[in-house]
Amino acid sequence: MNEEWKALILDHYKHPRFYGPKEDFAFASEQHNRTCGDHVKVFASLEGKFSQWSFVGAGCSLCLASASLMMELLQNQTKDAVEAIRDENRSMWDGGIDFETASRPLWQALDGLRQYPVRSRCVKLAWQALDEILVSWNSLDISIA
Amino acid sequence: MSIAPEGVDPVKALFPIFKSHPELIYLDSNATSQKPEIVVEAIDRYYRSENANVHRGIYQLSENATRTFEESRIRIAKYINAETQEIIFTRGTTEAINLVANSAGQAFLRPGDEIVVTVAEHHSNIVPWQMAAERFGVTVKYIPLRADRRLDLDAARTLINSKTRIVSLAHVSNVLGVIHPIRDIIKMAKAVGALTMIDGAQGLPHLPVDVKELDCDFYAFSGHKVFGPTGIGVLYGRKTLLQAMPPYQGGGDMIEKVTLHGSTWNELPSKFEAGTPHIEGVIGLGAAIDFLKSMPMDSLLNHDRHLGTYLTHRLKEEFPRVQIMVEPGDDWVGTVTMAHPNIHPHDLAAVCDGENIAIRAGHHCAQPLMEILGVTATARVSPSLYNDESDIDAFLAALRKAEKLFLS
């Protein structure tokens, strides 16, 4: 990983954005990494179409920085936009993103990690929580519709 | 054995990995050891010039392969003072323990019996017994640790009683590096008529083993932790017990006669070795045992313990934040397991990796023990004969770098 992205990861690890539990959450999901005991809980609340996000957790720099970077991406997004971000993240792991030209700093920062499959679990933890929240969000929309 | 070129550590010169990666500082030998040239050569020779199936062919090549294969068994048996028939080849320690939990379980466990293990075991010496408990209607009991993280023998005396049928524990803890007082535990088990199983995965790499002198009923170890190949391990079992136990798996080699109405079992050790074995693994393990025999075991243990002690002292002096899980002692093989309040073990391992240093981070397949230590994961440095003080110095420099990165 290059120094610039390393600094970005360390910054988010030491100063996680949108950190803290939410009282008024509409959705929450807690995920554990069996190999090291790390855990992340993601909260989402809704204001009309727009979503607000926060998280709490304990883990290594990649685990918590990944969650913090995810928070920045998701804040105030609609469900469609959140799903698009989730899909972009998925295609990052499938090799579907060209990292040289990737627009989001997160994808670029995480590029170097693909060679460490063990640590990919650290990075994915918050994103697994997002997957679960989207399932709930979609089923809520279906029941309202 | 090869002669080291000038400037190359003579012990490192015996291990080809350090020729491929001269910069590598390998401090994860409890996970797996590096392989000496003679082991690599033995496997290479088998595939290049000796490859044939064993115990089957009526031709020279197969007979030669069978002879080399069985000679390994003889050498391994001699090394741990067992009879040749008492050496069963398995995929590793894990499979050996599963074999005993299943077959000895079937033969000897009755509902209401108790199995005693310790809280410091690797998952491979906990889970098979939990599965056996479910299957045979027995209970698993755990010997606790004292505050100094040594086994609580007073508690063991109460836990091992007339209900106990099997006692199973590690010779050496993979996380703490503590040599368990297995002779005391074996005596307690014998006194109540219980069987004893020793997980020697971390024992054989550091200690001479004589199964008759130990008087244990089963002793298991893995090839890859004693400078041999992966995928091969050994179960020693007392002959009379192995004879009384049903086979673990069915297939070729393990049968005497097969009819459409049923089968009868082959003699030991074939009864427990169904299918074509891991031939090159056995041959490589034989070479690894030769390598081990060429090493003075006392100085090997002293070497690893010295490096662990050196690391422990320097950690205490220079890194007061680091929590060290056990104090060095005569009952210890030099494994240093630690937790840093501000640096996650994964992050420490990643910083070390950046400096070409391999250490282990995680729960080390011992989650119950992690809970007792009050952490979810730790970092572990496990030295072996190819390490020296300069490797420990390099680790400490990486730790300093990590502190700078994460504490600033």
Side-chain angles (χ1 to χ4, degrees), chain A residues 6 10 13-14 33-38 58-62 116 118-119 122, chain B residues 342-344 346-347 350 353 361-364 367 376-377 404-408:
Chain A
K6 212 187 270 178
L10 271 177
Y13 174 57
K14 289 178 187 171
N33 184 344
R34 284 175 294 112
T35 61
C36 57
D38 288 0
C60 65
S61 57
L62 299 183
Y116 298 104
V118 172
R119 298 209 81 195
C122 311
Chain B
N342 311 94
I343 309 173
H344 191 284
H346 277 180
D347 290 325
D353 183 47
H363 56 52
H364 317 290
Q367 282 173 327
T376 50
K404 221 170 137 191
L405 212 55
F406 288 97
L407 295 185
S408 61

Side-chain angles (χ1 to χ4, degrees), chain B residues 47 187 254 302 319:
Chain B
Y47 275 128
K187 272 194 200 122
M254 54 75 71
N302 285 335
F319 297 89

Side-chain angles (χ1 to χ4, degrees), chain A residues 84-136:
Chain A
I85 291 163
R86 188 267 314 267
D87 293 345
E88 210 176 309
N89 180 261
R90 275 191 185 162
S91 63
M92 178 189 99
W93 292 103
D94 299 340
I97 284 186
D98 177 6
F99 287 95
E100 293 296 318
T101 56
S103 55
R104 297 184 199 283
L106 174 65
W107 311 151
Q108 294 184 14
L110 302 183
D111 178 28
L113 300 175
R114 290 192 301 166
Q115 55 182 305
Y116 298 104
V118 172
R119 298 209 81 195
S120 73
R121 290 196 211 124
C122 311
V123 181
K124 285 178 176 171
L125 211 55
W127 296 86
Q128 285 164 3
L130 174 60
D131 277 337
E132 211 173 87
I133 285 176
L134 275 169
V135 170
S136 310

